[in-house]
Amino acid sequence: AKPVQGFSFIEELRTNGFQVPIVGIGGISANNASAVTHAGADGVSVITAITNANNIQTEVKKLKSAVRKGLVY
């Protein structure tokens, strides 16, 4: 696997005109999902944050809210 690319890589892709779907993968949680989509990602892929949650339904709601908060239309 390649090293973590981070938010700046997503921003760089968008700044340079790349108009392909971008999905943030790896280490995504409700705490950082909005930063990923705000950087230019179209969405996130989440496994651990949901499967390790005490309340899956609550965690999914928090993730959805965070993703929507970061989206720039």
Side-chain angles (χ1 to χ4, degrees), residues 9-10 12 21 23 34 39 41 45 48 52-53 59 61-62 65-66:
F9 183 68
I10 297 170
E12 182 181 340
V23 177
S34 63
S45 176
T48 303
N52 288 347
E59 190 64 24
K61 286 180 183 179
K62 289 195 293 188
S65 176

Side-chain angles (χ1 to χ4, degrees), residues 22-29 33 36 43-50 63 67:
I22 298 173
V23 177
I25 299 173
I28 306 299
S29 69
V36 176
V44 297
S45 176
V46 181
I47 295 175
T48 303
I50 294 172
L63 283 159
V67 167

Side-chain angles (χ1 to χ4, degrees), residues 8-36:
S8 61
F9 183 68
I10 297 170
E11 291 170 340
E12 182 181 340
L13 289 173
R14 292 299 186 213
T15 299
N16 288 313
F18 284 85
Q19 295 300 315
V20 297
I22 298 173
V23 177
I25 299 173
I28 306 299
S29 69
N31 294 329
N32 63 10
S34 63
V36 176

